[in-house]
Amino acid sequence: MEIHQILEKQRAYFQSGITKDISFREHSLRELRRSLRLHEDKIIDALYHDLKKSEFEVVQGELFPVFSEIAYTLKHIRTWSKSRKANHPAFFPFSRGTVDVVPHGTSLIFSPYNHPISTSFTPLVSALAGGNCVILKPSELVTHSAHVIESIIKEVFSDEYVAVVQGPAEISQGLLTLDVNHIFFTGSSAVGKSIMRTAADKLIPVTLQLGGKCPGIIDKNVPIETTARRIAWGKYWNAGQSCNTVDHLYVHASIKKRFIQALITSIEEFYTTDPQQSPDYGRIVNERHVDRISRYLSEGTVVYGGVVDRRDHYIAPTIMDTIHTDATVLREEIFGPVLPIFEFEDIADVVKSINSKPKVLAVYIFSNCKETTRSVMRNTDSGTACINDLMIQSTSSDMPIGGVGESGFGRLHGKNCFDAFTHTRSVLKNVAFDTPLRFPPYNTKMLLPFLKKLL
């Protein structure tokens, strides 16, 4: 079926009114959860073939977020969807006002390759909870996962309600020609900008979940071993292919050498001295991205790692120091297991450096000094922030995540994402009689002094 035919069927289905029923939406979410459970083994197998993700990482980072989002949404959907009473206008005292929550209608969701299950189904949960029909486009770079996603959807939904469209980038361009009511995109800033330009021509609202060069700051007073373990976990999880992980580190000069050694110790504790043989260490999605990331290795001193196996899509957990001043790694989001480290003496210099660059998805600060932490939080801006850990701010359905500026806009999780797929409609009902003071010719001697007194 052609994409334009899918959209026409979805429009007709939405206009039938069935998706506006709250019980229908709840049933849809429960059916989605049931299908996900039936396909758990296939999801684990698909992600191993696409990214060599371990079963633990799949359950922790792909399945758990989706199941949590479904449970949280089912708990709150009736409250979020409920109309509320509104105050009547001062001059129409007998009128009655409400604010209704209304679905957009038809939505288009693009998911990336790095977390294909969670980034497909988490926004889908909000779209269905909001009463929308959805066309979902998984990344063409993770073919096994994309086929499982399609199987999960087809198990419980017809194309007129939720459709999965697969194919190369040209298919995505075709989808952007559709007159949908909302676009939700997760991916790179470059593609996000292109989608926004296309959507602007049709005045289609968009949610952009992008990325950026998320900085991390390691203060001199931190517990070095604990901090190093948390950095190693967050940076090299999924082989560094997470938009909200740390991109580079600023480490206080007084602890830099000890911290790097502790980081190396943690890497080897997690993945052994040969991470390529570790069942817990993933792979880069394809050779093109292996080549892209590998180019960064010549732009500074490789302190640890740096091993590349292009055929295996493998890049070892890598630490870099003494970065060249004109290096592309200073400008481009790394999105891989390469960690540049810079030293600092004064936290003000770090804040200045962060603020000289585009706003990012997350800022990370490791410090036991409340004043330092407050200074970083007060004087920097980012979509989210985390103190003394990495990425865990994105694990709660009650905490919205998303970017600001070049790292995107709009929010994922809970009510914030539900709001992205709905809009509020004000409805006023007036009584059948009018006061003659409302209409011309106006009785200015009687009415005007009264109005001015109200002002």
Side-chain angles (χ1 to χ4, degrees):
M1 187 185 303
E2 292 187 0
I3 56 177
H4 288 85
Q5 293 176 314
I6 294 174
L7 180 61
E8 288 305 313
K9 289 182 67 175
Q10 291 198 347
R11 281 177 176 164
Y13 192 71
F14 176 75
Q15 290 167 5
S16 74
I18 189 171
T19 67
K20 296 180 181 179
D21 181 73
I22 302 300
S23 296
F24 175 82
R25 302 183 201 179
E26 292 173 327
H27 175 73
S28 298
L29 294 178
R30 293 189 180 101
E31 285 294 288
L32 177 61
R33 180 169 59 189
R34 180 181 65 81
S35 186
L36 281 163
R37 284 175 173 159
L38 289 173
H39 289 81
E40 281 184 17
D41 290 341
K42 291 181 179 178
I43 290 171
I44 292 167
D45 184 65
L47 283 164
Y48 180 82
H49 280 90
D50 287 329
L51 294 164
K52 207 172 181 181
K53 282 196 181 187
S54 68
E55 182 175 353
F56 187 88
E57 278 197 8
V58 174
V59 174
Q60 180 193 49
E62 300 277 3
L63 293 174
F64 188 79
V66 179
F67 286 122
S68 296
E69 196 72 18
I70 293 174
Y72 187 84
T73 302
L74 284 170
K75 181 179 179 180
H76 296 283
I77 184 172
R78 289 186 176 267
T79 300
W80 297 343
S81 305
K82 189 176 181 180
S83 298
R84 66 172 178 86
K85 292 182 179 180
N87 294 328
H88 57 73
F91 299 111
F92 303 96
F94 300 106
S95 62
R96 294 293 180 268
T98 59
V99 178
D100 299 338
V101 180
V102 181
H104 285 317
T106 55
S107 295
L108 181 57
I109 296 175
F110 292 95
S111 64
Y113 66 81
N114 59 322
H115 299 291
I117 302 300
S118 62
T119 57
S120 293
F121 290 108
T122 303
L124 178 63
V125 168
S126 295
L128 300 184
N132 298 270
C133 297
V134 178
I135 298 174
L136 173 62
K137 172 62 173 69
S139 172
E140 65 276 11
L141 301 184
V142 281
T143 54
H144 296 86
S145 298
H147 286 304
V148 173
I149 290 169
E150 186 171 16
S151 297
I152 292 167
I153 296 299
K154 285 185 175 297
E155 173 103 4
V156 288
F157 302 130
S158 63
D159 284 347
E160 62 186 358
Y161 184 26
V162 184
V164 176
V165 175
Q166 298 199 52
E170 291 77 16
I171 297 295
S172 298
Q173 291 300 318
L175 289 170
L176 289 172
T177 66
L178 300 177
D179 290 323
V180 295
N181 302 114
H182 185 78
I183 298 174
F184 192 105
F185 171 79
T186 306
S188 70
S189 297
V191 178
K193 290 176 182 178
S194 175
I195 286 176
M196 189 172 178
R197 282 191 293 267
T198 304
D201 288 338
K202 298 175 178 291
L203 296 179
I204 299 173
V206 297
T207 300
L208 299 180
Q209 293 277 316
L210 308 178
K213 295 186 68 61
C214 302
I217 305 168
I218 313 297
D219 201 5
K220 60 184 176 183
N221 52 25
V222 298
I224 292 177
E225 287 74 20
T226 299
T227 301
R229 285 172 62 84
R230 292 177 180 181
I231 293 290
W233 170 79
K235 175 60 182 178
Y236 303 113
W237 187 73
N238 197 35
Q241 298 168 109
S242 296
C243 58
N244 64 337
T245 194
V246 67
D247 179 271
H248 55 281
L249 285 181
Y250 299 93
V251 181
H252 197 277
S254 64
I255 65 165
K256 181 182 174 184
K257 289 184 179 180
R258 286 185 293 151
F259 174 78
I260 289 176
Q261 186 54 54
L263 189 58
I264 292 170
T265 300
S266 296
I267 292 170
E268 295 182 348
E269 179 185 343
F270 294 168
Y271 306 115
T272 76
T273 56
D274 185 7
Q276 191 168 6
Q277 306 306 317
S278 170
D280 297 318
Y281 188 71
R283 294 297 185 268
I284 307 304
V285 66
N286 60 22
E287 291 181 354
R288 179 172 66 86
H289 282 281
V290 171
D291 293 341
R292 175 186 61 81
I293 299 166
S294 299
R295 285 194 290 269
Y296 300 139
L297 302 180
S298 63
E299 299 185 330
T301 302
V302 174
V303 176
Y304 181 82
V307 179
V308 178
D309 185 338
R310 191 171 186 268
R311 181 177 295 181
D312 190 29
H313 297 178
Y314 170 79
I315 299 179
T318 299
I319 303 169
M320 291 184 66
D321 195 2
T322 322
I323 309 299
H324 303 162
T325 55
D326 60 345
T328 56
V329 75
L330 297 176
R331 302 186 301 274
E332 299 175 354
E333 181 181 7
I334 296 171
F335 214 70
V338 176
L339 181 61
I341 292 181
F342 307 92
E343 67 178 53
F344 73 95
E345 296 277 0
D346 188 346
I347 194 67
D349 294 332
V350 177
V351 170
K352 184 177 179 181
S353 176
I354 292 172
N355 290 336
S356 69
K357 301 176 179 67
K359 294 178 181 180
V360 294
L361 191 61
V363 166
Y364 297 101
I365 169 69
F366 290 77
S367 178
N368 285 331
C369 175
K370 291 182 179 179
E371 183 54 40
T372 299
T373 301
R374 279 196 296 265
S375 176
V376 172
M377 292 295 99
R378 183 171 57 245
N379 295 307
T380 63
D381 192 9
S382 58
T384 65
C386 189
I387 300 169
N388 293 333
D389 217 318
L390 284 189
M391 300 200 298
I392 61 173
Q393 79 278 14
S394 64
T395 60
S396 170
S397 293
D398 201 35
M399 295 182 69
I401 61 170
V404 57
E406 290 198 19
S407 56
F409 48 81
R411 291 294 179 264
L412 184 66
H413 288 170
K415 187 177 185 302
N416 292 83
C417 197
F418 174 87
D419 289 344
F421 287 99
T422 58
H423 65 274
T424 52
R425 180 171 63 180
S426 296
V427 180
L428 189 73
K429 180 180 180 181
N430 204 2
V431 294
F433 61 87
D434 287 304
T435 170
L437 297 176
R438 174 180 175 178
F439 303 106
Y442 299 116
N443 188 335
T444 55
K445 288 184 179 181
M446 178 185 296
L447 190 59
L448 198 55
F450 172 70
L451 290 176
K452 288 185 175 180
K453 188 174 182 180
L454 285 180
L455 292 176

